[in-house]
Amino acid sequence: MKLNDLSEKLDLKAQTRIFDREISGVYISDMVSDVIANAKAGNLLVTVQIHNNVIAAANLVDIAGIVVTQGKAPAEDVVKMAEKAEITLFTTEMNRWQMATQLYEAGIR
Amino acid sequence: MTAADEVLLRERFRITGSDFEHGGEVSARIKSILKEIGIPVEAIRRLSIANFEAEMNVVMYADEATLTLEVFSNAVRVEVADRGPGIPDVEKAMEPGFSTATEEMRARGFGAGLGLPNIERNTDEFVIESEVGTGTTLRYRVSWS
Ligand SMILES: Nc1ncnc2c1ncn2[C@@H]1O[C@H](COP(=O)(O)OP(=O)(O)O)[C@@H](O)[C@H]1O
Ligand SMILES: [Mg+2]
């Protein structure tokens, strides 16, 4: 599924442009060492942990997009950094579990 | 000297301690260099994981470091030599879960104690030399065929 289709199906707020990329799966984690070692290229990362080092890690392993849960707002420079790395950054009021359920129901497994 | 031993590229990068704002940028620059050279994707992935963990450890625990990248025809070698407090017990530091990260670092998602184990797991050779009060040097290699 493309990031664009996902944002239409789910209640996600895009903080960056929505880049034309396919999502290959989901990884849910708030630990940076876990994200960089285990998230796969093309994954959608679901996390509450959002700062520039996380964007750097996500970019290094070619994560396609990030969903920041619990209504947390990423700082402006973090959004800029994601935009530059062509990582689509979404926010949602949902928690990680609700997000996971909706992603599963949307067909991303 | 055989062709495989010949250094195709050697480049040095500076990493600054406590500089969270730029933490990960050296790893990102190295990734784009390796991509441009045409290093296999999986080798770039493994190197990026190791470089990021090494870079963030300098940011979190050391004063400054020089990262030296050496590209060969079928391997990349990296040395990260820092000036810093050193590691009193390297064996213990290598244990998954061991961490001296501060509360502030943990609040940023660091301190899982998986950085050095991640480097070990993603490299074909990994050596740590450390002297308390002086600094730490990591050397690792990722090869492909
Ligand atoms: N360059 C370094 N200088 C001093 N201490 C270090 C360095 N790298 C790692 N350490 C020590 O080793 C521990 C384990 O490191 P690591 O496996 O990366 O996990 P984490 O960074 O999550 O604590 C650190 O908490 C720190 O005490
Ligand atoms: Mg670490």
Side-chain angles (χ1 to χ4, degrees):
Chain A
M1 186 182 297
K2 289 274 176 100
L3 284 161
N4 216 340
D5 305 326
L6 184 75
S7 79
E8 277 167 18
K9 277 196 179 177
L10 303 184
D11 188 19
L12 297 172
K13 250 171 90 184
Q15 305 294 327
T16 57
R17 267 182 296 160
I18 300 176
F19 294 97
D20 183 28
R21 266 192 86 173
E22 187 77 25
I23 308 160
S24 60
V26 181
Y27 200 74
I28 307 180
S29 179
D30 301 323
M31 297 300 295
V32 184
S33 282
D34 178 28
V35 170
I36 192 147
N38 299 312
K40 298 279 175 283
N43 275 182
L44 183 72
L45 173 66
V46 178
T47 187
V48 287
Q49 192 61 257
I50 191 71
H51 49 73
N52 52 348
N53 310 130
V54 171
I55 304 289
N59 193 23
L60 282 168
V61 293
D62 297 315
I63 283 170
I66 302 177
V67 178
V68 184
T69 55
Q70 269 104 312
K72 216 172 153 186
E76 210 173 297
D77 59 321
V78 172
V79 174
K80 272 197 195 136
M81 199 178 158
E83 184 94 43
K84 196 165 164 238
E86 303 195 1
I87 295 172
T88 306
L89 191 58
F90 296 107
T91 54
T92 177
E93 295 298 323
M94 282 182 270
N95 65 36
R96 278 156 291 187
W97 170 248
Q98 291 165 325
M99 194 67 240
T101 314
Q102 288 211 3
L103 286 167
Y104 190 84
E105 280 166 4
I108 302 188
R109 323 238 149 132
Chain B
M1 197 157 64
T2 64
D5 298 331
E6 201 183 320
V7 184
L8 306 175
L9 177 107
R10 179 182 286 121
E11 203 163 325
R12 292 199 159 82
F13 304 83
R14 178 57 58 93
I15 304 166
T16 309
S18 306
D19 188 6
F20 281 89
E21 201 187 318
H22 297 103
E25 284 183 9
V26 166
S27 305
R29 270 159 66 200
I30 292 173
K31 185 191 172 189
S32 48
I33 290 169
L34 298 177
K35 226 169 141 180
E36 202 164 307
I37 297 174
I39 305 298
V41 174
E42 188 51 27
I44 294 181
R45 174 186 163 80
R46 295 171 72 212
L47 282 160
S48 293
I49 294 168
N51 292 340
F52 180 79
E53 293 289 8
E55 182 177 1
M56 287 314 303
N57 278 356
V58 172
V59 171
M60 289 194 283
Y61 309 114
D63 299 332
E64 59 169 354
T66 302
L67 185 154
T68 308
L69 174 77
E70 289 181 330
V71 181
F72 301 83
S73 62
N74 64 351
V76 169
R77 284 181 188 276
V78 176
E79 181 191 270
V80 186
D82 75 45
R83 191 168 59 73
I87 303 175
D89 187 342
V90 170
E91 209 175 304
K92 195 158 181 194
M94 281 295 304
E95 281 173 20
F98 177 83
S99 179
T100 60
T102 62
E103 272 314 308
E104 212 184 336
M105 294 168 188
R106 288 170 200 271
R108 285 174 73 89
F110 294 106
L114 292 173
L116 296 174
N118 272 351
I119 299 174
E120 168 117 275
R121 203 167 304 129
N122 286 284
T123 55
D124 299 303
E125 189 189 317
F126 178 34
V127 188
I128 307 180
E129 270 168 32
S130 194
E131 201 179 316
V132 173
T134 304
T136 302
T137 299
L138 309 185
R139 287 187 194 88
Y140 46 86
R141 169 179 58 85
V142 168
S143 304
W144 59 91
S145 48

